[in-house]
Amino acid sequence: MSKLNRRHFLVTGLAAGAAAAIPASAAHAEPDPAAETAQSLASRGLRTDPFTLGVASGDPDHEGFVLWTRLAQQPMAEDGLGGMPQRTFPVLWQVYSDERARRVVRSGVTVAAPEWGHSVHVEVEGLSSDREYWYRFRVGPYVSPLGRARTAPHPLSYGGGLAMAFVSCAQYEHGYFTSYRRLAEEHPDIILHLGDYQYEYTKNTYTIPGGNIRHHEGPETETLANYRQRHAQYKVDPDLQAAHAAAPWLVVWDDHELDNNWADEVPEKPEVPQPNFLTRREAAFRAYYENMPLRRTSIPRGIDMQLYRRVRWGRMATFHMLDTRQYRDDQGCGDGYRDCPAAVDPARSITGAAQEEWLLNGFHNSRAQWDILGQQVFFAQRDNNAGPAKITSQDGWDGYVASRRRITEGWIDAEVRNPVVLTGDVHAHWASDLKLDYDDPTGPTVGSELVATSISTGGDGADSDPARHPFLTINPHLKFYNNQRGYVVTKIEREQMSADFKVVPRVQTPGAEVYTRATFVIEDRVPGVQQTYLRPLDPTLRTAQEMTVEETVRLETERP
């Protein structure tokens, strides 16, 4: 099958979910007694297809990956139980070596239990390294959509070039998830989601000019039922299902999976009494695990959840997936742009001491060609003041300057070959050089940062000439800006890492095509980003060329 046909098969044929008519002979290479037993047991109590939320894979290594699904006959049920009976269901899972699902290479039966929202997490092992696989689930007479996964290269092998994409910030109410659909069509090897997978607000709370085009169901998410329902509303979106079925994901949260701008045990607005915040945090963490393709090491324990972790792609890349929410000190002077003395306090941390030590040890032990930090908030300095005052966002690493410096010094001291920071959160594309001392623009560049815009948050956005953005003048290490919606696709090879900043011109109506707004390259052992392509400004699109510093700061400050 050609690559184009394979993409069509995965994106249109599988995400639709109408797989129940597949005959048993296509799903089994030979009779499987365990499967037949599971099918017989599971058929009781199911009257409609329970695979309404799709399938997903995640956290691959060189011999396997995690498979995920969650059973829900009525996904939008207010009690968060998905219309499922209060009993366990045996679920058959199968992994295939071919995309027509004829050759079974691994299979088994697992249990979907009501206490975990009838979610399923299967850690598949014993597969061949560096190759594609396909998978699906069966419960009674119902068969899930087919998903594509792949294993990483052997730890001693570089493998071929790695097609990695990363995304963030999908506000269901602000636009259609067209970028997820276009991303699925890219046929990546792996997808990183860097946070704000879903938003907590009730309808008409976080609105865009002209009004939201879709609405959240239910109240602001505070209980386990609320979070389960909200995750389900996002998961039923066919474009999101297509992206999950297309490739394994590495996920980390940011703030909206719980509460805007939360910091450890402190809610966004500590001055407003929220005595149940820790109960809310426990519910949000549990629902997040239930709905993500995570390994058992991330099973939440009360208000705690181990999310930072390391995923290796052979010798080519090591992904250090960070959690900059659960362990951080509270923002020193509030969440917005401030000239804040606390920002430079060496005792404050955005990662917490244990995670920082884990990361620095990872730098020293790494033998990867590329060390990639998958994390949430802007890493490079973004000063919005052209004068002597330093006014920066206190929710990003600018609010934790000493913490950023320790991490940066860590990869310098460890002689990390190619440090690259990947970021979400800010609803715009950015590319920047990283410095040890941002106050000395002539100082050496020591790393690179690539920032993905939002999938939909903020609505359609606007195209503009990146050179006219005031932040790029004030901060010469910032090299690119674009305020449209989209994602970033990278090609990681031994000699270089290239990054295409993909955009769609609109998300407030469905079906937009995608194009590359700019391409940057990071060369092996040459820190910093180099622009190799910039698409001319489209004069038919609304621009923000004349946006003032004040307008830019206002938009960012008001952004939840």
Side-chain angles (χ1 to χ4, degrees):
M1 183 177 288
S2 69
K3 192 171 186 179
L4 178 60
N5 287 339
R6 180 183 298 116
R7 292 181 185 180
H8 179 81
F9 177 68
L10 282 167
V11 175
T12 63
L14 303 181
I22 297 172
S25 60
H28 304 280
E30 57 186 40
D32 187 337
E36 298 306 320
T37 300
Q39 187 174 14
S40 175
L41 290 173
S43 61
R44 296 177 298 183
L46 292 181
R47 298 181 179 180
T48 60
D49 183 3
F51 294 111
T52 57
L53 306 181
V55 298
S57 65
D59 280 27
D61 60 24
H62 67 284
E63 58 179 0
F65 34 71
V66 180
L67 300 181
W68 172 93
T69 193
R70 181 180 159 215
L71 308 183
Q73 295 184 112
Q74 300 170 20
M76 297 309 298
E78 292 184 1
D79 61 6
L81 300 178
M84 295 295 295
Q86 283 293 299
R87 70 173 182 84
T88 60
F89 286 83
V91 180
L92 169 70
W93 58 270
Q94 292 180 313
V95 177
Y96 312 95
S97 61
D98 66 306
E99 57 196 319
R100 293 188 181 274
R102 296 186 182 275
R103 294 186 293 275
V104 179
V105 294
R106 288 289 183 276
S107 66
V109 176
T110 188
V111 170
E115 56 266 33
W116 289 99
H118 288 101
S119 62
V120 170
H121 299 75
V122 178
E123 297 185 18
V124 183
E125 300 176 340
L127 300 175
S128 298
S129 61
D130 199 16
R131 65 152 296 166
E132 293 178 304
Y133 290 94
W134 290 263
Y135 64 92
R136 67 182 170 208
F137 302 87
R138 180 192 296 267
V139 177
Y142 302 103
V143 179
S144 77
L146 193 66
R148 169 185 172 266
R150 67 164 299 132
T151 52
H154 187 276
L156 299 180
S157 170
Y158 287 94
L162 168 60
M164 180 272 292
F166 64 101
V167 300
S168 74
C169 302
Q171 219 289 21
Y172 180 89
E173 300 177 298
H174 289 183
Y176 293 96
F177 290 165
T178 307
S179 291
Y180 279 141
R181 173 72 56 170
R182 299 294 173 246
L183 175 55
E185 294 167 351
E186 301 272 2
H187 202 66
D189 295 320
I190 194 167
I191 297 170
L192 276 62
H193 199 294
L194 302 180
D196 294 347
Y197 182 92
Q198 56 102 65
Y199 282 70
E200 75 274 29
Y201 305 112
T202 190
K203 67 179 181 180
N204 297 324
T205 299
Y206 182 14
T207 59
I208 56 175
N212 293 342
I213 63 165
R214 306 193 285 188
H215 294 292
H216 283 151
E217 296 290 335
E220 177 159 332
T221 53
E222 295 186 355
T223 68
L224 181 57
N226 297 157
Y227 284 107
R228 283 173 169 171
Q229 182 190 41
R230 185 61 50 81
H231 275 283
Q233 183 172 17
Y234 280 61
K235 279 288 202 304
V236 297
D237 185 278
D239 296 332
L240 176 54
Q241 288 195 17
H244 270 302
W249 286 38
L250 303 182
V251 299
V252 286
W253 55 40
D254 189 20
D255 52 342
H256 290 290
E257 289 86 353
L258 170 53
D259 177 44
N260 182 52
N261 288 347
W262 65 281
D264 195 6
E265 298 184 6
V266 182
E268 175 191 12
K269 299 175 180 178
E271 70 278 5
V272 178
Q274 197 173 142
N276 297 323
F277 181 72
L278 295 186
T279 302
R280 180 182 185 182
R281 170 171 156 164
E282 181 176 355
F285 286 13
R286 189 178 186 92
Y288 187 82
Y289 175 77
E290 290 174 351
N291 285 279
M292 293 297 168
L294 289 164
R295 294 184 180 271
R296 64 175 66 93
T297 51
S298 292
I299 294 175
R301 293 170 173 80
I303 66 167
D304 299 315
M305 182 171 170
Q306 179 68 45
L307 196 59
Y308 68 83
R309 63 205 187 280
R310 200 167 280 122
V311 176
R312 295 179 173 85
W313 197 267
R315 288 288 303 276
M316 185 68 78
T318 294
F319 295 95
H320 309 268
M321 305 301 292
L322 305 187
D323 177 353
T324 63
R325 287 289 168 191
Q326 189 175 179
Y327 313 104
R328 67 159 68 190
D329 291 295
D330 192 19
Q331 294 88 344
C333 301
D335 303 333
Y337 279 79
R338 306 281 192 276
D339 185 359
C340 179
V344 298
D345 183 348
R348 300 178 71 252
S349 173
I350 195 172
T351 62
Q355 184 178 193
E356 181 178 303
E357 181 180 7
W358 167 87
L359 181 57
L360 297 181
N361 288 339
F363 289 155
H364 282 279
N365 294 329
S366 177
R367 299 296 180 266
Q369 194 85 353
W370 301 86
D371 279 273
I372 299 171
L373 279 64
Q375 59 93 48
Q376 297 77 21
V377 291
F378 216 98
F379 193 86
Q381 179 174 290
R382 285 191 307 162
D383 186 359
N384 75 25
N385 186 281
K390 186 177 293 184
I391 302 178
T392 57
S393 172
Q394 298 307 295
D395 191 54
W397 289 78
D398 275 331
Y400 305 82
V401 172
S403 190
R404 176 174 62 197
R405 186 176 183 90
R406 290 192 296 269
I407 298 301
T408 307
E409 288 176 337
W411 76 57
I412 294 172
D413 293 343
E415 298 181 350
V416 168
R417 183 176 183 126
N418 293 299
V420 180
V421 178
L422 305 182
T423 302
D425 181 61
V426 293
H427 311 167
H429 282 318
W430 297 81
S432 63
D433 295 342
L434 299 179
K435 305 281 188 176
L436 187 60
D437 183 1
Y438 291 95
D439 294 330
D440 179 10
T442 66
T445 296
V446 298
S448 313
E449 182 175 20
L450 305 172
V451 183
T453 186
S454 66
I455 290 291
S456 59
T457 309
D460 287 341
D463 198 4
S464 62
D465 177 0
R468 301 291 296 274
H469 194 289
F471 282 19
L472 273 65
T473 302
I474 299 170
N475 306 273
H477 54 277
L478 302 179
K479 304 299 183 183
F480 177 68
Y481 166 85
N482 175 268
N483 188 35
Q484 294 172 286
R485 310 285 76 84
Y487 53 90
V488 180
V489 173
T490 71
K491 183 70 171 182
I492 303 175
E493 301 171 295
R494 294 181 68 173
E495 298 80 14
Q496 68 175 28
M497 175 178 178
S498 62
D500 292 333
F501 288 85
K502 299 282 190 169
V503 300
V504 294
R506 63 185 185 280
V507 295
Q508 291 171 241
T509 55
E513 294 302 314
V514 68
Y515 62 86
T516 299
R517 186 64 176 85
T519 299
F520 282 81
V521 166
I522 305 167
E523 296 181 359
D524 179 35
R525 294 189 183 277
V526 183
V529 295
Q530 304 174 44
Q531 183 176 287
T532 60
Y533 170 76
L534 181 66
R535 179 183 170 114
L537 180 67
D538 187 341
T540 66
L541 298 177
R542 178 172 59 90
T543 72
Q545 293 186 52
E546 304 306 323
M547 183 177 290
T548 65
V549 174
E550 290 77 13
E551 289 171 331
T552 302
V553 173
R554 178 182 59 80
L555 288 174
E556 290 223 0
T557 302
E558 293 177 355
R559 173 186 60 81

